[in-house]
Amino acid sequence: MAVTVGASPLGLGSLRRLPASARPLVRPGTVSAGIVHLGLGAFHRAHQAVYTEEAVARAGGDWGIIGVAPRSTEVVARLVAQDCLFSVTTLSGAGSETQVVGGLAGVRHAASDPAAIVALLADPAIRVVTLTVTEKAYQLDPASGRLRPDAEVTADLTSDRDPRTVPGLLVRGLLARAVADAGPLALVSCDNLPSNGTRLHSLVGQALALLAESKGARNGADGARAERIADWLRANVTYPGTMVDRIVPASTPATLATAQAALGVTDLAAVAAEPYRQWVIEDDFPGGRPAWERAGAVLTGDAGPWERLKLRALNGVHSATAYLGALAGRETIADALAIPGLVEVLRRMIAQDVARSFSPPDGVSVVDYGDQVLERFGNPVIRHRTIQVAMDGSQKLPQRVLHTVVDLRAAGHRPRFATLVIAAWMRFVQGYADDGTALPLDDPLAERIRAALTGAKDTPTGVVDALFGLAEVFPAALAGDEVVRELVLEWLTALDRHGVEATLAGAT
């Protein structure tokens, strides 16, 4: 669907022309910035930005957000042209509702001016930094959580060049903040990582150590200065864990057209999302925070049970649906759920594998939560593409599925349906669907995966052996577990010989 870009773009000048119900709760320019957000994608705009604007509107505070795009200039240009305004359209089978959001106090492009981002992170007015940069930007080994820097991150941490990566920006900003004694700060990961706060803390600590070692700050005056900075950071910086949840598909021309029809003006930064949203936050903010609980967030002392619930019963099920759906030629997650037998298999996976793998938050039924998840995934107007959900599988699979398998095996259980997801991923990365259609491999380990498959025997056994050899994805104990290997091989053999639909029919 084409979008007509007329002479009335969304911006401050168009606010009075908007329907009253769609006007922002906070007018840009009226609230000073207190938050920097790294990762100016659709999810942040439909999630943390919405919560924060509502919190400020209801409880006040200088909590405007400066949104930083690490690489994309397009979203920055569009938001600048619209005075940092954008809309979120909530989509359901009952209809849609579009709301303009005014929580952004400014936007920046990190790659164009990294020094300005470092200065922002050291600004005393900024007391919270949030991140939605996806799993791969953290450069952490999925199994160990250890920093695994690529050449760019290493250069950021061992040279004096301007930082180009998220770890580089964070570390340089923290160093500048410590030197200036610029006040306490909370670094808040909002990405789908297990123990995301702990992992972010570990990333920063390991990156600082690498930087200090490269500068020779291990003795003498340099060593004393490094220790003072480390002491300041320990005393002033916290890393609250979070769990975030809202399905936000990539924006399309149809997204922009829907917003234009609702608003009467053109919004080139429009996003769409499902009605459901959740944000669980560990309440550890030494410099203060917005009253997010006034917008419906859950403030807690431990986000871990909530995080495991979401990673395993939602994200793991999402990945399962994406791989099997893509193999069966289904374009969207909702389309995939119409494959005969898939919903039944996913329900059995939730009840027999996921629910037995961990202890959920008090008062929460994993099975009931899973039923709600499947209902959400079936929303016909949320066109979340299976290929989009399936990307970066080597980074997602450990967090979403492998931890379930490991915990089940430790308890002596056979993870029958969780191993189907592993087999579906192994079948997906071979690059073709059941009907022979080519499937893209968009993954940080794409070359390693292709190399492993090239050297594999052209049999399910050869593929399982080759891919289990990817230590970056599969811990040695898991790869060497004969029960897991047997189950994965059984599923992969069925998928290879019979395809998704026949395999699911045989599973139920």
Side-chain angles (χ1 to χ4, degrees), residues 82-287:
Q82 297 179 178
D83 299 314
C84 295
L85 292 168
F86 63 92
S87 65
V88 178
T89 297
T90 301
L91 299 172
S92 72
S96 64
E97 180 180 340
T98 302
Q99 173 76 42
V100 174
V101 177
L104 290 176
V107 291
R108 303 285 188 275
H109 181 236
S112 299
D113 193 359
I117 309 307
V118 170
L120 266 178
L121 297 177
D123 186 337
I126 302 301
R127 290 96 77 201
V128 175
V129 174
T130 54
L131 301 91
T132 51
V133 292
T134 76
E135 292 95 329
K136 58 186 174 184
Y138 289 81
Q139 295 286 325
L140 294 172
D141 181 271
S144 69
R146 298 290 299 172
L147 183 65
R148 191 179 59 196
D150 62 13
E152 286 290 291
V153 173
T154 300
D156 277 357
L157 300 175
T158 60
S159 74
D160 292 326
R161 77 174 196 185
D162 285 335
R164 301 175 187 173
T165 66
V166 169
L169 286 168
L170 283 177
V171 168
R172 297 287 186 86
L174 288 174
L175 289 175
R177 192 175 188 94
V179 169
D181 192 17
L185 183 73
L187 293 183
V188 188
S189 171
C190 299
D191 284 292
N192 285 316
L193 291 167
S195 304
N196 55 14
T198 300
R199 289 191 176 231
L200 180 57
H201 192 180
S202 177
L203 178 156
V204 170
Q206 294 174 64
L208 284 167
L210 182 58
L211 184 146
E213 183 176 352
S214 73
K215 302 298 182 185
R218 287 172 290 182
N219 51 58
D222 283 345
R225 177 177 180 271
E227 189 57 35
R228 286 195 300 272
I229 288 173
D231 287 343
W232 189 95
L233 294 174
R234 281 191 289 268
N236 289 279
V237 182
T238 62
Y239 303 83
T242 68
M243 187 277 276
V244 297
D245 191 4
R246 193 175 198 184
I247 297 174
V248 183
S251 295
T252 66
T255 309
L256 308 190
T258 298
Q260 186 176 48
L263 301 175
V265 297
T266 298
D267 175 11
L268 293 178
V271 294
E274 66 169 335
Y276 181 92
R277 71 183 192 194
Q278 188 174 44
W279 194 6
V280 179
I281 313 165
E282 291 176 353
D283 198 0
D284 188 11
F285 292 82

Side-chain angles (χ1 to χ4, degrees), residues 329-465:
R330 306 303 172 98
E331 181 182 1
T332 70
I333 294 295
D335 294 338
L337 288 181
I339 299 172
L342 180 55
V343 169
E344 289 78 4
V345 164
L346 293 175
R347 284 199 173 109
R348 292 175 72 176
M349 172 182 162
I350 293 164
Q352 296 178 26
D353 289 353
V354 174
R356 293 199 294 177
S357 72
F358 75 108
S359 298
D362 289 343
V364 175
S365 162
V366 177
V367 171
D368 291 346
Y369 178 89
D371 284 342
Q372 182 187 48
V373 162
L374 292 173
E375 182 179 353
R376 291 166 58 195
F377 287 174
N379 186 338
V381 292
I382 295 291
R383 296 190 59 76
H384 212 173
R385 298 175 63 239
T386 53
I387 295 299
Q388 180 193 2
V389 179
M391 67 187 294
D392 298 336
S394 70
Q395 306 294 296
K396 295 174 178 176
L397 200 68
Q399 331 299 347
R400 301 180 174 198
V401 179
L402 300 190
H403 288 180
T404 295
V405 174
V406 168
D407 289 344
L408 285 171
R409 291 300 296 136
H413 300 305
R414 288 174 61 87
R416 184 177 180 218
F417 293 100
T419 50
L420 169 59
V421 191
I422 300 174
W425 176 77
M426 290 183 172
R427 177 70 184 76
F428 176 84
V429 299
Q430 293 176 59
Y432 58 93
D434 289 347
D435 64 0
T437 302
L439 294 172
L441 180 55
D442 188 345
D443 193 286
L445 295 184
E447 292 309 313
R448 289 273 290 113
I449 293 167
R450 292 191 183 101
L453 291 171
T454 299
K457 295 179 181 178
D458 192 20
T459 63
T461 300
V463 170
V464 170
D465 289 342

